[in-house]
Amino acid sequence: HIATSLPLPSEGDHLRPRIDLIVFMIDIKSKYSLKNVETSLAYVDASFFLGKVCFLVTGVGRMNACNIDTSAVCKLGEAYCSPVLFCELELEGVRVATAQRLLRMLQICAGHIPGVSALSLVSLMRKSDDD
Amino acid sequence: MDETVAEYIRRTVLKIPRDEIKMMLQKWGFLSEAQLQTLNFHQIKDNISQEVVQLCEENSAGIKQAAVLDIIYNHIYQNKRMWSVYQMKESGEELECFDITDFKKRFKARLRSALKNVTITFKEYEDNAIWIRVAWGTPYKKPNQYKPSYVVYHSQTPYVFISASVLKSNLPLLCQALIVASNYREIREMELRSHSLNSLKDIVFKRYSQNFQTYSPKPLQERNVEPENADTRIVQENRSEKERVHRLNHEAFGSGPQPQLEFAQYRLETMFKCAPKMDVLDKKEPFRCLVKFSSPNLLESLKSLAPAGMADAPLSPLLTCIPHKARNYFKIREKKGVFPESFVSP
């Protein structure tokens, strides 16, 4: 399900399946996308932040057009205990690899991988220097 | 043949890309097919232009013929020049049929009565466009062939497109000659400028696809908002919003390609509005500010803003009115009255 911001329109409430993973996409070229994500986060139930939320920063292939503060994004990830991924969608290889990563995360969050929970995945993904 | 003419022809040929020289010389028609055959178009341009000059020498070319070659070059590369649009008003009482010979005669007479040293050349094209080239001199100097003005006039319309040379002082004279020749009383410059002559024509002749308000009781179902989204596993949560944006955008811009303009300029003479406590600029003077939008194709980029999520729909009418109002230069002043909104001056 693709949405431009949260909260989701209520018309589709009855058609929506269970949400297993929320990926917030931030375009490195757009200050507005970061702001939008920050405001949308307020509408997410706290239980999602136990490994079912991920931040995806796109457009990192064009750092010369960077308009956001990447350290602020990393701080956002820390504040919400969620991983931050960086990718470049215009490169097919990176795009495919990122999709596979997200798919893997989704499988875990949906409970399809026995022995690994969303929470354990997130603690595995945390950077070692955080401890 | 005059040395200055020879030099002028040489320099004109040098401007032409090598692959196009033969075609342009053929269009010119001054050199015979036999003479063109003797030219080697595979050598460096310097040599080609020298050979062309020699052939022109054989045919005793004068400035008149050289000027025609220049018109042909500028007609093909019209987008290299900046064009302004002028509108003529109040034609004479009699409804005369347009006579091209009369027009040329009157134009030349009017110009020459004010300034003896001018070179005036005409060329007509199939789309009813009359191209006029004027090279300007002074009472004491021969015309400068390297800084001519070009005028494009469609006789069935009151519009004239002018690419003035740097010597702007000759503009009033040119305008005078135009209204006398075409039997109008007034001419005024429109606030519309661009490199793309065809787009300017599209705007003033209303040839671009405008969106006419048609009555449709519900959104047209068959229009596919997201054609590439054929994968039914992807669900758009904000579909109705996307459709609203598309509909508003379509109403503002129509469905066809937009005329090509390179910029829009807004000169603001409005009051600076700030939070009441800030006390900045409390002298009641307008805050003068110039806002300029530039783009290789401004209208297309404005059209793509809302669907790309970069601007809210509907876009400001100050932006969407550009083709309808046929202007891309605006002066915005404070509206004096009960509701202090800004308005666009004529």
Side-chain angles (χ1 to χ4, degrees), chain A residues 1-5 7-9 11-12 16 32, chain B residues 229 233-238 240-242 309 312:
Chain A
H1 285 233
I2 306 178
T4 53
S5 63
L8 294 174
E11 301 102 56
R16 221 171 282 127
Y32 173 73
Chain B
N229 194 9
R233 292 176 297 178
I234 301 176
V235 176
Q236 294 271 2
E237 288 283 346
N238 308 93
S240 52
E241 175 63 16
K242 273 196 153 67
D312 291 330

Side-chain angles (χ1 to χ4, degrees), chain B residues 56-71:
Chain B
C56 292
E57 182 93 49
E58 287 172 22
N59 293 12
S60 309
I63 193 58
K64 280 196 200 300
Q65 289 80 29
V68 172
L69 181 62
D70 184 51
I71 291 190

Side-chain angles (χ1 to χ4, degrees), chain B residues 4-99:
Chain B
T4 50
V5 174
E7 181 60 14
Y8 184 66
I9 294 179
R10 190 184 74 83
R11 291 221 206 157
T12 308
V13 174
L14 275 179
K15 277 198 296 191
I16 310 172
R18 199 166 62 159
D19 305 331
E20 323 238 322
I21 298 180
K22 181 167 188 188
M23 174 267 294
M24 251 186 248
L25 292 177
Q26 282 169 331
K27 276 204 161 77
W28 190 30
F30 180 66
L31 302 174
S32 70
E33 194 57 45
Q35 284 175 309
L36 288 179
Q37 297 287 358
T38 67
L39 284 170
N40 172 13
F41 293 102
H42 298 293
Q43 52 185 335
I44 57 169
K45 278 210 291 192
D46 255 340
N47 295 350
I48 302 179
S49 58
Q50 295 285 12
E51 286 185 15
V52 170
V53 168
Q54 273 176 336
L55 290 174
C56 292
E57 182 93 49
E58 287 172 22
N59 293 12
S60 309
I63 193 58
K64 280 196 200 300
Q65 289 80 29
V68 172
L69 181 62
D70 184 51
I71 291 190
I72 293 173
Y73 172 81
N74 279 286
H75 178 257
I76 294 181
Y77 291 101
Q78 51 191 240
N79 294 349
K80 284 193 170 186
R81 306 192 72 92
M82 177 67 86
W83 297 91
S84 307
V85 190
Y86 290 73
Q87 187 179 18
M88 297 189 284
K89 290 198 181 144
E90 289 175 51
S91 58
E93 297 85 8
E94 305 141 29
L95 205 65
E96 302 171 358
C97 255
F98 180 76
D99 181 28

